[in-house]
Amino acid sequence: MVDVMGPDLISDLPQSIIESILVQLPIRDAVRTSILSSKWRYKWALITQLVFDDKCVPFSNDREVVEMSVVKFITRVLFLHQGPIHKFQITNSKLQSCPEIDQWILFLSRNDIKELVMELGEGEFFRIPSSLFNCRKLTRLELSRCELDPPHSFKGFVCLRSLNLHQVLISPDAVESLISRCPLLESLSLSYFDNLALTISAPNLKYLYLEGEFKDICLEDTPLLVEISIAMYMTDDIAEHFEQSSNCNFLKFLGGVPNLEKLVGLIYFTKYLSIGIDSVHLPIMYHNLETIELYQVNFEDTKEIFVILRMITSSPNLKELQISGSSNIPVAVDAPDLDFWEKGCLLDSALNKLKTMKLSEMGGWPHEIEFIKYLLCRSPVLETLSIIPCVFDMENNLKMLIELVKCRRASSRAEVIFIHE
């Protein structure tokens, strides 16, 4: 009798190829392949990547039923799994803190886990068990909405290259110690931290993302940083701390990052950098910095303006500049210190590589106009200057447009685009 189905070529493929196929499937479907034949019964149990998202169990409007199903499914998968688990990821909005998490992490700590991502749904924060700190081969760790308390005996994650902590309850000393004990760390993300003074020592760090209420930040040993993104939220306590500080924040934060390629500063970042900048000489150059984005800049604060000018004139290879003004500037502004633009403290450097500029939330205030003039007359290869005015003052917008028409431009090809949204 002829076998009309032909030979089963897929089942006889090497396990590495079968695994590469199975990991492309949702974990629920990968497990279902066990019903295909006796050969496939435990093929899925050898895959080294386990990802549990919102689709890993059937949908139900009853949250408790879904959560119970998720817990049972994850426990069953781990119980039947064979061999090492290199990646374990939970990104499930229905799953909340539960005692089974301790068992799962203990199991993973004994199975060569390299990547661990825990992102549970809204609800009570879960406490990370001490067994996590026995995962010596971790290269990536992402934790969200949990409590983290490294034991005193913890020596560090010697293989960790990526660390992401989002809404994690951890003491300032513990987070600094954790970072410093990851000697290979290349990417660090800390978000939604409150009232934190942070010193970062990470000699191999390349990518840094910070978001939260930071009283102070010091980059102590980060010579390889190439990309920084930071958003600083302001509270009354932090504002008072800023006013009382006499240290030069510019030096503490940007004084030791000579290889920086991209800088994104969001809320209050330029305000933070401006503290103490007028009392210190800044002999710093950023030869690799090509992109600068700064948002909510207060153009009535000449110290913040000086921060921007210091950065762009210290970046000879800058190609792209984006600046967003602050909409908090009063309607009637009389700038008493416009002679700021005539002072010798301003560097007369040409921006020889700058091609694209985008300025948004511009209200047409005197310092904003002078800043635009400063850029236009020092950018010989500029191609595009896009300006998005603030919507609150049409009269000032018209004055700004008239001033722009009269501005001298170092680049004959520079196109000024006035965008009214």
Side-chain angles (χ1 to χ4, degrees):
M1 182 177 177
V2 179
D3 184 1
V4 295
M5 298 298 292
D8 183 2
L9 299 178
I10 295 180
S11 297
D12 293 328
L13 287 172
Q15 174 61 27
S16 60
I17 296 178
I18 291 178
E19 178 178 347
S20 67
I21 296 172
L22 291 176
V23 295
Q24 302 301 318
L25 300 175
I27 185 65
R28 184 181 173 195
D29 293 337
V31 173
R32 281 175 168 177
T33 61
S34 62
I35 67 173
L36 293 177
S37 70
S38 58
K39 283 187 177 181
W40 280 86
R41 181 164 298 171
Y42 295 111
K43 293 284 188 182
W44 71 268
L46 295 171
I47 62 177
T48 58
Q49 300 183 38
L50 303 177
V51 177
F52 302 91
D53 57 17
D54 284 333
K55 298 178 181 179
C56 70
V57 297
F59 174 78
S60 172
N61 289 322
D62 191 326
R63 184 183 184 115
E64 290 186 4
V65 170
V66 174
E67 185 175 10
M68 186 178 299
S69 298
V70 172
V71 170
K72 288 182 177 179
F73 181 64
I74 295 176
T75 301
R76 177 173 174 269
V77 167
L78 292 178
F79 179 76
L80 294 175
H81 192 274
Q82 303 170 16
I85 300 174
H86 293 159
K87 178 180 179 180
F88 183 85
Q89 176 173 322
I90 299 178
T91 50
N92 191 293
S93 61
K94 300 296 190 294
L95 182 62
Q96 298 185 5
S97 176
C98 61
E100 286 80 3
I101 292 177
D102 291 13
Q103 301 171 23
W104 300 340
I105 294 181
L106 177 61
F107 180 85
L108 295 171
S109 69
R110 298 170 177 173
N111 283 270
D112 296 335
I113 187 69
K114 293 182 179 179
E115 298 185 38
L116 178 61
V117 179
M118 300 286 289
E119 184 178 333
L120 276 57
E122 298 290 328
E124 182 182 354
F125 281 29
F126 68 97
R127 186 174 181 84
I128 293 294
S130 60
S131 57
L132 170 72
F133 302 98
N134 294 323
C135 301
R136 304 299 185 188
K137 295 184 179 181
L138 272 180
T139 60
R140 175 189 173 202
L141 178 61
E142 295 189 14
L143 301 175
S144 178
R145 299 182 56 79
C146 66
E147 298 179 32
L148 190 63
D149 186 16
H152 294 296
S153 59
F154 177 59
K155 302 299 182 183
F157 294 121
V158 295
C159 299
L160 196 68
R161 295 183 180 273
S162 177
L163 177 62
N164 185 333
L165 303 180
H166 174 79
Q167 282 188 294
V168 173
L169 299 179
I170 180 174
S171 71
D173 290 342
V175 71
E176 289 184 0
S177 176
L178 176 61
I179 294 168
S180 65
R181 292 180 180 180
C182 301
L184 300 183
L185 192 64
E186 295 180 354
S187 177
L188 174 63
S189 176
L190 304 176
S191 52
Y192 288 88
F193 279 73
D194 297 335
N195 209 28
L196 180 63
L198 181 66
T199 297
I200 296 176
S201 178
N204 286 295
L205 192 64
K206 295 181 180 179
Y207 306 97
L208 176 63
Y209 175 83
L210 300 174
E211 180 181 2
E213 299 172 4
F214 294 98
K215 293 176 63 176
D216 205 0
I217 305 172
C218 179
L219 302 183
E220 192 171 77
D221 182 17
T222 54
L224 301 184
L225 263 176
V226 296
E227 188 170 321
I228 297 175
S229 178
I230 177 170
M232 305 183 72
Y233 302 137
M234 189 69 67
T235 64
D236 291 340
D237 289 343
I238 293 176
E240 183 179 352
H241 176 78
F242 280 4
E243 292 175 1
Q244 295 176 353
S245 176
S246 59
N247 295 323
C248 180
N249 290 344
F250 193 105
L251 277 179
K252 285 194 298 183
F253 193 85
L254 295 175
V257 288
N259 294 300
L260 198 60
E261 297 175 6
K262 181 177 181 179
L263 176 65
V264 179
L266 301 169
I267 309 171
Y268 291 111
F269 181 59
T270 51
K271 175 64 177 178
Y272 173 75
L273 291 184
S274 70
I275 303 298
I277 196 171
D278 53 353
S279 61
V280 178
H281 177 57
L282 305 170
I284 309 165
M285 295 298 291
Y286 307 99
H287 292 284
N288 299 330
L289 188 54
E290 296 186 354
T291 302
I292 296 177
E293 299 177 22
L294 299 173
Y295 298 88
Q296 293 198 356
V297 176
N298 180 4
F299 276 94
E300 291 310 302
D301 186 339
T302 55
K303 290 183 179 181
E304 290 194 39
I305 298 174
F306 186 70
V307 165
I308 302 173
L309 297 179
R310 185 66 186 86
M311 290 172 59
I312 63 178
T313 55
S314 300
S315 308
N317 294 303
L318 184 66
K319 295 179 180 179
E320 181 182 356
L321 177 65
Q322 293 191 39
I323 303 289
S324 169
S326 172
S327 58
N328 296 327
I329 298 176
V331 174
V333 174
D334 230 358
D337 52 355
L338 280 180
D339 59 341
F340 167 83
W341 297 96
E342 307 298 329
K343 294 177 181 177
C345 63
L346 297 183
L347 299 178
D348 200 23
S349 305
L351 307 174
N352 291 320
K353 299 292 182 66
L354 188 59
K355 292 184 177 182
T356 304
M357 288 192 288
K358 181 179 180 181
L359 307 177
S360 58
E361 290 297 317
M362 295 288 110
W365 310 111
H367 280 304
E368 294 174 345
I369 296 295
E370 293 301 318
F371 178 68
I372 295 173
K373 290 179 180 179
Y374 181 92
L375 295 175
L376 284 174
C377 70
R378 288 169 173 79
S379 307
V381 298
L382 184 67
E383 296 176 357
T384 305
L385 168 59
S386 301
I387 299 177
I388 304 176
C390 179
V391 298
F392 300 119
D393 195 323
M394 294 301 296
E395 182 180 350
N396 261 3
N397 289 345
L398 180 59
K399 291 179 181 179
M400 178 167 56
L401 184 58
I402 294 172
E403 288 290 336
L404 288 177
V405 172
K406 297 188 295 183
C407 282
R408 182 176 68 84
R409 306 176 191 177
S411 171
S412 59
R413 298 181 299 167
E415 181 181 11
V416 179
I417 305 173
F418 200 80
I419 303 171
H420 196 281
E421 295 184 340

